[in-house]
Amino acid sequence: MSTASHVSGRVYLVGAGPGDPELLTLRAARLLGRADTVLHDRLVGPGVLELCRPGVELIFVGKRRAEHHMRQAEIQALMIERARAGQVVVRLKGGDPLVFGRGGEEIESLALAGIPVEVVPGITAAAGCAAQSLLPLTHRDLAQTLILATGHSQDGEPQLDWQALCRPRQTLVFYMGHAVLDRLADRLIAHGLPPDLEACLIINGTLPTARRITGTLATLPGLVREAEPLDGPALLVVGAVVGRARGPA
Ligand SMILES: C[S@@+](CC[C@H](N)C(=O)[O-])C[C@H]1O[C@@H](n2cnc3c(N)ncnc32)[C@H](O)[C@@H]1O
């Protein structure tokens, strides 16, 4: 998307992929080599930032759960200020900017300010983790529907459409579900998914430190508790396809 404007600067919302720099798009790599300012998240791996040109201004804008280095409004104001000064600004986000990445809010604020904005897609965590685990997210015999959901909530109680999530022959991928894994598993079982349905937690997917813990809806929370402390982003995958994973991690 781009908007007409009198300003000479421009903002690119760029997906950095799930961690492994090799998974960056060519367009993302090219823009990193051109940008004047790069605002990046915690989930963007150091190997990705090495592609920035010398002299670039790198600004870390957060964020870890409940630990925001810069508020969303401040990030947006900074992008607008830099673009108005004529800069090429890259807002670099883990995964894809439009999947649980607040890309929509940023597009709206930039458009309102008359700043030209473009989005460069990235490989979302679900695709990156599934690829590394050789885990088919859909499968002719097992899952005709794929749902990407968030476990994030303000008060620890995810507000989700449990009935829709608990239909048969689906794969569910929960972003930000690690902290509420017990609750997610409880709710899914209470709403009708079988306790012995396969489920796994993939931590640091696509990185050398990747790890996959596999169990069922009933057993996974206990297996994960035993494996703690687990450091890094984690994705919960639920569905019969989990049993088909053939990858090492
Ligand atoms: C705020 S969301 C951002 C999602 C991102 N925009 C995407 O498309 O992947 C952050 C969540 O993505 C998931 N995630 C991101 N990178 C991951 C990785 N390398 N391995 C496992 N999960 C990851 C985790 O659930 C993490 O809590």
Side-chain angles (χ1 to χ4, degrees):
M1 171 201 166
S2 63
T3 48
S5 165
H6 58 284
V7 293
S8 54
R10 177 173 289 265
V11 175
Y12 296 89
L13 304 186
V14 176
D20 178 353
E22 293 262 309
L23 295 175
L24 215 59
T25 62
L26 292 175
R27 191 182 296 179
R30 185 172 53 75
L31 284 167
L32 289 176
R34 269 186 58 203
D36 299 302
T37 300
V38 174
L39 294 90
H40 63 98
D41 284 345
R42 180 179 62 91
L43 290 180
V44 172
V48 174
L49 295 178
E50 279 165 20
L51 297 169
C52 293
R53 71 173 175 80
V56 67
E57 188 179 2
L58 289 177
I59 305 176
F60 176 62
V61 294
K63 45 194 160 316
R64 207 181 173 99
R65 269 185 325 118
E67 180 195 310
H68 291 226
H69 282 252
M70 205 182 264
R71 290 157 55 93
Q72 187 63 28
E74 289 170 330
I75 297 171
Q76 288 165 195
L78 187 60
M79 290 194 288
I80 291 167
E81 177 202 305
R82 297 299 169 97
R84 284 198 171 132
Q87 292 194 355
V88 172
V89 180
V90 165
R91 171 74 175 101
L92 190 61
K93 289 165 171 287
D96 183 273
L98 304 182
V99 179
F100 303 125
R102 297 192 136 187
E105 292 166 46
E106 294 178 4
I107 290 169
E108 269 169 45
S109 73
L110 292 163
L112 265 175
I115 306 291
V117 54
E118 288 182 32
V119 175
V120 179
I123 293 183
T124 192
C129 291
Q132 188 182 35
S133 290
L134 303 181
L135 189 168
L137 291 172
T138 62
H139 190 293
R140 261 200 310 174
D141 302 329
L142 303 172
Q144 283 74 38
T145 303
L146 169 64
I147 296 180
L148 305 185
T150 172
H152 178 75
S153 65
Q154 296 299 346
D155 58 1
E157 184 60 49
Q159 301 298 314
L160 294 163
D161 181 345
W162 299 106
Q163 274 174 351
L165 291 174
C166 292
R167 295 196 182 112
R169 305 174 72 77
Q170 301 191 135
T171 303
L172 312 177
V173 179
F174 292 94
Y175 290 65
M176 294 164 277
H178 184 180
V180 285
L181 174 59
D182 291 59
R183 211 161 299 187
L184 287 172
D186 278 356
R187 299 291 179 276
L188 292 171
I189 293 171
H191 285 83
L193 285 186
D196 63 354
L197 184 62
E198 289 92 339
C200 70
L201 190 74
I202 300 173
I203 306 106
N204 288 322
T206 79
L207 295 169
T209 50
R211 181 158 180 204
R212 184 174 78 247
I213 300 171
T214 302
T216 63
L217 274 180
T219 64
L220 188 64
L223 294 172
V224 167
R225 254 193 311 278
E226 278 167 26
E228 298 284 6
L230 294 165
D231 193 26
L235 209 64
L236 170 66
V237 186
V238 178
V241 293
V242 170
R244 299 297 175 104
R246 294 288 177 264

